[in-house]
Amino acid sequence: MAGGGAGLAKRLGTLLSGLLECGVFCGVIFGWASLVFVLKDLNYFRDLCQPTNTSHNQTSQTGCGEQDEQFSLVFTIGSFMNNFMTFPMGFIFDRFGTATARLIAITLYTGGTLLVAFSTPELAVLLFPAMSMLSVGGILLILTNMQVGNLFGKYRSIIITLYNGAFDSSSATFLIVKVLYGHGLSLKAMFLFMAACSAWHLLRTLFLMPCTRIPYPLPPGYNYGLRCPGHSKSYRTYEEKRRPEVAGPEETPLEGSAPRGALGALADLRASVLSLVVTVVQCVLFSICAAVPVLPVQFATFMLQVLSRSFLYGGNAAFLAIAFPPQHFGKLYGLAMALSALVALLQYPCIALVRGPLHGDPFYVNLGLIAVVLVAFVSPVVVARECRRRAKELGAAGTPLAAPPGAETPTEMPH
């Protein structure tokens, strides 16, 4: 970039290192089943099991109901915290910026790994705060990473989706822990190594991430990290240096006179309509396949679940980045995740309904869920109507709508 800003090599380094960070550390809680195998072998929560007539080896392999319930409770609390705590963490990110949010995330993540490392079967209760801290720290790390898409202009939606996909892929970390445990490595050594990897997160925070936020579109000569004291290394410094009479792209209303870089925002919003439609279609197909009591159909159900989850989380983050000002991204993304955590709690009354009044038949519950998912088609319709409204307003303001959508936003508006 011109003017001493961050070059392509630095931006690519930020992108690739962020993918590694999200793909290895951020969503490890979702690989919990692999870690449970190790914890059972180490006799965590074994004291809850009642003695039986079976041999010790057989009991060690199968476990007991009370032990399984404790492991399930650890995961339930951790996964709930993963979504619900995104809301307050989003406020912290928006209010105090990237550096502060990442330092909190690194502290939580390091604390969680150390708790697991120094836990024992007698101190198995430490798993409860440990998994919650790993979950909250991980979701805060990915929250700070999704702004990296702003460094790559029109490709930012793709990059945000990549980061969400990497977040899901990090569930394989505990699978690697399980494999290494089978080859003789101790649980303590592996989690101490994960704690030491916090130095990697800290180095990224200092040299490859901004102090506050990465603005969109990027100002001229934008740079970030510690070694850019003479340039606009944060959104705030750029706002302070900008002339008062020059309105930014996020502060310019669509009513009345509108700048041409508004065209880029409108093009991005139009492109999101197709993504929303595809996401809802996948969710509907998933719900239908899940309701079919035929075993071969469930192979399609699992594939659609993976695809729809990627589109759902990645598309949600990309849409929020496109449709709303970046200074509110953390709060909005956190609100969406918190609502998803609350909705996930409805699975318990649904299960009680199936086991009780419906006598084990989930047909009507599945039918009701399909009907609820169909309501989501309202979302792309509303966005499409908003696009038409904005296009009319831009046309009335004299903005040539035929301009290429990738045109750069001018740094100064014509008087």
Side-chain angles (χ1 to χ4, degrees), residues 86-97 143 330-331:
T86 312
F87 189 36
M89 293 298 106
F91 269 101
I92 292 175
F93 172 57
D94 289 340
R95 176 64 180 86
F96 299 103
L143 183 61
K331 293 186 287 289

Side-chain angles (χ1 to χ4, degrees), residues 14-359:
T14 302
L15 170 64
L16 296 177
S17 61
L19 283 174
L20 180 63
E21 184 175 81
C22 294
V24 177
F25 301 99
C26 292
V28 293
I29 183 67
F30 298 110
W32 173 248
S34 298
L35 185 62
V36 166
F37 177 88
V38 178
L39 297 173
K40 279 188 174 182
D41 192 68
L42 294 173
N43 293 327
Y44 278 66
F45 298 118
R46 172 60 57 188
D47 57 313
L48 299 177
C49 296
Q50 298 297 326
T52 61
N53 295 327
T54 58
S55 64
H56 173 74
N57 291 335
Q58 183 179 353
T59 305
S60 179
Q61 292 174 0
T62 59
C64 64
E66 293 80 2
Q67 184 187 33
D68 292 337
E69 287 178 2
Q70 287 298 306
F71 285 129
S72 178
L73 185 59
V74 172
F75 175 74
T76 300
I77 295 175
S79 58
F80 177 82
M81 295 290 285
N82 179 80
N83 289 342
F84 187 77
M85 288 301 294
T86 312
F87 189 36
M89 293 298 106
F91 269 101
I92 292 175
F93 172 57
D94 289 340
R95 176 64 180 86
F96 299 103
T98 303
T100 301
R102 285 183 63 85
L103 289 176
I104 294 175
I106 294 169
T107 302
L108 289 171
Y109 202 92
T110 306
T113 53
L114 290 176
L115 284 177
V116 177
F118 291 103
S119 66
T120 62
E122 293 75 22
L123 294 175
V125 69
L126 292 178
L127 294 177
F128 286 95
M131 290 301 115
S132 296
M133 293 169 72
L134 287 176
S135 296
V136 178
I139 199 67
L140 190 50
L141 283 177
I142 190 178
L143 183 61
T144 61
N145 272 303
M146 282 190 285
Q147 61 179 322
V148 173
N150 294 346
L151 295 172
F152 297 89
K154 60 182 180 180
Y155 300 106
R156 63 173 178 159
S157 296
I158 298 175
I159 292 172
I160 290 173
T161 306
L162 281 176
Y163 274 120
N164 279 271
F167 174 78
D168 290 337
S169 301
S170 61
S171 60
T173 298
F174 281 169
L175 176 60
I176 297 174
V177 169
K178 175 185 175 182
V179 173
L180 294 178
Y181 175 80
H183 284 78
L185 271 72
S186 68
L187 183 70
K188 180 176 182 179
M190 288 185 283
F191 273 85
L192 285 177
F193 174 78
M194 292 178 64
C197 288
S198 295
W200 160 264
H201 306 315
L202 185 60
L203 289 175
R204 286 198 73 245
T205 302
L206 296 177
F207 298 103
L208 292 178
M209 294 298 286
C211 180
T212 54
R213 286 187 303 272
I214 299 176
Y216 184 82
L218 293 179
Y222 178 78
N223 208 336
Y224 53 94
L226 288 183
R227 303 184 63 181
C228 51
H231 305 289
S232 302
K233 61 180 178 181
S234 71
Y235 182 77
R236 287 181 180 173
T237 55
Y238 172 61
E239 291 292 300
E240 291 166 358
K241 293 180 180 180
R242 194 179 55 183
R243 297 211 312 268
E245 66 272 13
V246 179
E250 299 164 5
E251 300 170 352
T252 306
L254 289 178
E255 291 75 19
S257 178
R260 293 168 62 93
L263 292 175
L266 179 59
D268 289 340
L269 199 60
R270 281 173 171 169
S272 69
V273 175
L274 178 60
S275 175
L276 291 172
V277 171
V278 172
T279 301
V280 178
V281 169
Q282 287 182 336
C283 291
V284 171
L285 291 176
F286 163 70
S287 301
I288 293 175
C289 290
V292 177
V294 178
L295 185 59
V297 178
Q298 301 312 308
F299 288 101
T301 301
F302 279 103
M303 290 188 291
L304 286 169
Q305 195 273 340
V306 174
L307 288 174
S308 61
R309 177 183 170 84
S310 299
F311 272 81
L312 190 63
Y313 282 89
N316 170 60
F319 176 76
L320 293 177
I322 290 171
F324 298 96
Q327 61 265 32
H328 301 301
F329 176 80
K331 293 186 287 289
L332 294 173
Y333 183 79
L335 178 61
M337 297 295 287
L339 290 176
S340 71
L342 294 176
V343 172
L345 295 178
L346 296 178
Q347 62 182 311
Y348 298 104
C350 287
I351 293 174
L353 180 62
V354 172
R355 290 179 175 176
L358 297 180
H359 306 290

Side-chain angles (χ1 to χ4, degrees), residues 352-372:
L353 180 62
V354 172
R355 290 179 175 176
L358 297 180
H359 306 290
D361 185 5
F363 175 76
Y364 292 104
V365 171
N366 289 331
L367 196 63
L369 292 175
I370 294 173
V372 171

